[in-house]
Amino acid sequence: MIVRTFHPVGQGAFYSERYNDFNIVYDCGTMSPKKARLVVEDAFRDEVVDVLFISHFDKDHISSIPDLKKSATKIKVVVLPLLNNQQRNLLLNFYSKFSVDLKNIINDPESYFDSDTIIIRIQPTTNTFNLERRFNPRDLRELINNNSNESIEIESGTPLNITLNAGMKTIRWCFIPYNYEDEVRRTEVDRELNKVSISTSRLMNDPNYTLSNLENTALKNKMKNIYDKLQGKINENSMLLYSGPDLSGDIRKSQHFCTTLLIDINHCYTCLCMSGCIYTGDSDFKCFKLKDIYAGYVDYVGIIQVPHHGSKYDFDLQALEGFSRTIMPVSHRTTSSKHPDAEVIKELTINGFHVISINENKNSKFRQFI
């Protein structure tokens, strides 16, 4: 059995999948890490996290990684977007008030995680393309058992495969990360910085520029205002992830599964549901169509995470073209007036999508049993 869980951490993202002997996490953060600490620690207490996927480096997507690292016995593999030096410096300047742990996750994950943790960086691309093109898939178990502490770069769209035992059967499953780099985001950041006469080049070439000017209250306020305005867009990319049946070879339609969906403690139903899921982080649905990125996988996807907590600034229904009656979990806090946007929820609902609210209330936890 596979158990997919959308955990109730409020304004943030913490999603996991448990297999018989394999655990994965996609993002682990919230705007309220102290309140969410028990949720994160209890999820994998004294257990191994085989793979941690990080979509991007906003606080509400990484702030609880230290709690997960402390509670789990080990994190074997970390998969994250590849940053060039300028992108990394820009983030470190905007996030100058981050804890040392969070800065190290951005700046030097090899030193932050265990010495034998494997770091896989996903190369960015500005193109959407058909994933049925030929990639060289990587076997996750083989990578984990290699124990070479190597850092690896792979192309967006490369399947990371595992074989699962399910009773008398074996299941071929895969995770397909896709690091879509949004050039528009960089333009927006540059424009806002230029408005307040802050040099983009200084921020991108000196990782300590903001830190060395902390006494400059005006600079701090300017940076904070830009961050608040462009929250989620300081990162040029947000790594998508498909998790579902491996469609390489001759598997195809044989891997649709009967699933049980536990929406909350009072609502549970069983259906013949597509077992694939697409996690979206804070990606911008105005920039692409998911069917173009994950061509060939559309018929296998039953769940798609609503990006950026339901923000109207990153939503366009065209991104969901080809999908129908899909379950759409949205992570948010109940006290927010911005997320999720009512028009986003309305548009999804009237077009036949099933929106699920995941918030800070423990009863909002959403689980899928496959």
Side-chain angles (χ1 to χ4, degrees):
M1 177 184 291
I2 301 169
V3 181
R4 179 179 284 135
T5 305
F6 291 76
H7 298 272
V9 294
Q11 184 78 14
F14 178 38
Y15 314 133
S16 68
E17 296 179 6
R18 289 177 170 274
Y19 307 85
N20 291 336
D21 62 344
F22 202 86
N23 297 319
I24 75 111
V25 170
Y26 178 87
D27 282 351
C28 187
T30 171
M31 294 302 291
S32 307
K34 289 183 179 179
K35 293 181 180 179
R37 181 164 294 150
L38 280 179
V39 174
V40 174
E41 290 180 344
D42 287 346
F44 292 100
R45 189 181 300 277
D46 298 326
E47 293 185 70
V48 169
V49 173
D50 292 278
V51 188
L52 166 63
F53 293 92
I54 299 175
S55 69
H56 65 296
F57 300 98
D58 265 7
K59 178 181 179 180
D60 58 342
H61 290 256
I62 66 171
S63 63
S64 295
I65 289 177
D67 294 327
L68 179 68
K69 181 173 178 279
K70 180 180 178 180
S71 180
T73 58
K74 192 170 197 57
I75 299 175
K76 292 185 175 181
V77 175
V78 178
V79 181
L80 42 74
L82 173 66
L83 298 176
N84 61 40
N85 287 336
Q86 291 184 324
Q87 291 169 331
R88 187 180 301 108
N89 291 341
L90 185 67
L91 292 181
L92 290 172
N93 276 303
F94 268 103
Y95 300 152
S96 59
K97 291 187 177 181
F98 271 15
S99 68
V100 172
D101 280 348
L102 298 189
K103 287 181 183 177
N104 283 339
I105 292 171
I106 298 170
N107 191 42
D108 189 7
E110 282 84 356
S111 66
Y112 176 74
F113 292 98
D114 293 337
S115 60
D116 57 350
T117 296
I118 298 166
I119 306 298
I120 300 177
R121 290 178 170 85
I122 308 301
Q123 297 169 356
T125 178
T126 56
N127 299 314
T128 56
F129 49 78
N130 188 329
L131 287 186
E132 290 188 311
R133 60 174 275 195
R134 302 306 298 174
F135 283 95
N136 293 319
R138 303 298 294 265
D139 186 283
L140 270 173
R141 294 190 194 276
E142 186 177 291
L143 285 172
I144 291 171
N145 293 331
N146 191 20
N147 288 325
S148 65
N149 190 29
E150 61 178 322
S151 295
I152 301 167
E153 290 184 18
I154 65 174
E155 281 188 87
S156 284
T158 301
L160 303 172
N161 297 333
I162 57 171
T163 300
L164 305 169
N165 295 317
M168 301 296 292
K169 297 181 178 179
T170 59
I171 299 171
R172 288 169 57 186
W173 201 263
C174 72
F175 306 97
I176 306 177
Y178 188 92
N179 181 10
Y180 181 83
E181 190 168 62
D182 182 3
E183 295 175 325
V184 174
R185 291 192 178 201
R186 167 55 61 81
T187 303
E188 290 186 45
V189 173
D190 289 349
R191 183 172 62 245
E192 294 303 319
L193 289 170
N194 289 333
K195 281 182 183 178
V196 293
S197 302
I198 296 177
S199 168
T200 309
S201 62
R202 293 184 70 177
L203 293 177
M204 292 170 61
N205 290 296
D206 179 3
N208 297 312
Y209 172 67
T210 306
L211 192 63
S212 63
N213 287 275
L214 283 179
E215 70 283 356
N216 187 332
T217 304
L219 174 63
K220 286 191 296 183
N221 289 336
K222 288 176 181 179
M223 295 288 286
K224 182 181 184 302
N225 290 336
I226 293 172
Y227 175 78
D228 290 343
K229 183 173 183 178
L230 297 176
Q231 214 174 115
K233 294 193 174 184
I234 300 302
N235 297 268
E236 289 178 46
N237 39 28
S238 187
M239 189 177 73
L240 301 160
L241 181 71
Y242 165 84
S243 169
D246 177 7
L247 304 186
S248 62
D250 58 357
I251 294 181
R252 298 296 165 180
K253 298 285 185 181
S254 64
Q255 289 211 73
H256 285 210
F257 299 93
C258 184
T259 73
T260 297
L261 303 169
L262 185 59
I263 307 244
D264 58 42
I265 60 173
N266 298 314
H267 297 88
C268 175
Y269 63 92
T270 301
C271 63
L272 186 63
C273 178
M274 313 319 170
S275 56
C277 175
I278 298 177
Y279 301 100
T280 63
D282 281 356
S283 59
D284 191 342
F285 270 19
K286 295 180 180 179
C287 296
F288 53 76
K289 296 179 181 179
L290 288 173
K291 71 171 188 177
D292 294 335
I293 294 176
Y294 292 112
Y297 290 79
V298 172
D299 291 341
Y300 303 84
V301 173
I303 297 179
I304 300 174
Q305 174 219 335
V306 179
H308 203 174
H309 320 293
S311 169
K312 65 181 179 181
Y313 300 109
D314 293 307
F315 182 79
D316 192 320
L317 195 67
Q318 59 89 29
L320 298 171
E321 184 180 307
F323 296 90
S324 62
R325 305 192 63 80
T326 310
I327 295 167
M328 306 284 297
V330 55
S331 294
H332 65 101
R333 62 173 177 240
T334 57
T335 56
S336 173
S337 59
K338 296 192 302 181
H339 300 142
D341 188 89
E343 287 301 313
V344 171
I345 303 304
K346 177 182 176 181
E347 191 168 6
L348 287 169
T349 302
I350 64 177
N351 282 280
F353 295 97
H354 188 172
V355 180
I356 305 289
S357 169
I358 316 296
N359 51 64
E360 70 275 15
N361 297 321
K362 64 180 182 179
N363 289 346
S364 71
K365 178 166 68 173
F366 167 46
R367 284 179 289 172
Q368 179 185 28
F369 298 88
I370 305 169

